[in-house]
């Protein structure tokens, strides 16, 4: 058998595995865009607002402070408009009887795979904005040094269902969860 044939055989085996490096199948909730937009806008309102107040109070402020405020405003608008849609395009999740698979981030993207046999806990959490938008985050804790796997901004009812399913699957899966 030639080495090229052996490589093709290995490649075929990798391509046929259930959890190859590929985008997970499911999108997060569509309201995630609004959640990320509001979170970014709140942060930028503080920064740009403080700069605006400074410029109003100190009419004789140096020119560079006006330029800095203008640059902050341009960056803020770009961040609030672009980031949420970019994150929505990136964030994916998938579960199966054997694993939880996620992709998250926007500039720095992270792919995570957690075997069900390693799951220690499954939790859901909802911050104030998530509660308002009926969204939730599912956190899957494993013994991994990389920390928990999070599926952010799912519809709250879907997040509860996933947490229940993962808990049932984990309890039925042999393994030591370490």
């Amino acid at each position: 058998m030639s080495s090229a044939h052996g490589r093709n055989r290995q490649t075929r085996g990798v391509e046929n595995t259930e959890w190859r490096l590929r985008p997970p199948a499911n999108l997060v909730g569509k309201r995630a865009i609004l959640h990320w937009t509001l979170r970014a806008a709140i942060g930028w309102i503080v920064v740009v607002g403080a700069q605006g107040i400074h410029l109003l109070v100190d009419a004789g402020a140096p020119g560079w402070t006006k330029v800095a405020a203008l640059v902050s405003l341009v960056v803020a608008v770009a961040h609030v408009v672009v980031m949420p849609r970019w994150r929505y395009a990136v964030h994916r999740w998938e579960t199966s009887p054997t694993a939880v698979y996620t992709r998250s981030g926007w500039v720095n993207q992270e792919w995570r795979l957690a075997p069900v046999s390693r799951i220690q806990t499954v939790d859901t959490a909802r911050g104030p904005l998530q509660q308002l938008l009926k969204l939730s985050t599912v956190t899957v804790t494993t013994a991994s040094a990389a920390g928990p796997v999070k599926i952010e901004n799912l519809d709250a009812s879907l997040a509860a269902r996933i947490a229940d399913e993962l808990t049932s699957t984990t309890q039925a899966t042999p393994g030591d969860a370490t």
Side-chain angles (χ1 to χ4, degrees):
M1 178 187 304
S2 73
S3 61
H5 180 66
R7 280 195 303 269
N8 287 341
R9 194 177 225 177
Q10 276 185 319
T11 303
R12 277 195 307 270
V14 169
E15 289 173 354
N16 291 330
T17 61
E18 181 183 359
W19 296 104
R20 65 187 182 275
L21 191 59
R22 60 172 171 71
N26 305 303
L27 292 166
V28 297
K30 186 77 171 167
R31 289 185 304 269
I33 295 171
L34 181 55
H35 180 252
W36 289 318
T37 300
L38 290 172
R39 283 184 49 195
I42 290 167
W44 281 110
I45 286 170
V46 171
V47 172
V48 173
Q51 290 174 324
I53 290 169
H54 172 72
L55 290 175
L56 287 174
V57 171
D58 186 6
W64 67 266
T65 58
K66 295 173 186 166
V67 171
L70 181 61
V71 168
S72 292
L73 182 60
V74 169
V75 171
V77 169
H79 183 243
V80 169
V81 170
V82 172
M83 178 275 297
R85 286 152 189 82
W86 190 342
R87 284 183 78 170
Y88 183 75
V90 170
H91 280 238
R92 298 279 188 276
W93 66 275
E94 190 172 335
T95 63
S96 82
T98 58
V100 177
Y101 187 42
T102 64
R103 184 178 71 182
S104 61
W106 63 294
V107 174
N108 293 321
Q109 296 178 15
E110 179 179 65
W111 300 67
R112 298 285 306 272
L113 173 66
V116 168
S117 63
R118 297 293 189 160
I119 294 175
Q120 295 176 331
T121 62
V122 179
D123 304 297
T124 60
R126 301 175 71 199
L129 281 177
Q130 285 181 314
Q131 291 176 43
L132 180 68
L133 298 171
K134 296 180 176 36
L135 295 171
S136 190
T137 296
V138 174
T139 302
V140 178
T141 305
T142 66
S144 169
V149 174
K150 291 187 177 193
I151 308 170
E152 292 184 50
N153 292 322
L154 294 174
D155 292 326
S157 60
L158 176 60
R161 192 169 65 242
I162 290 168
D164 288 343
E165 288 172 6
L166 285 173
T167 300
S168 296
T169 303
T170 301
Q171 289 174 346
T173 302
D176 60 4
T178 58

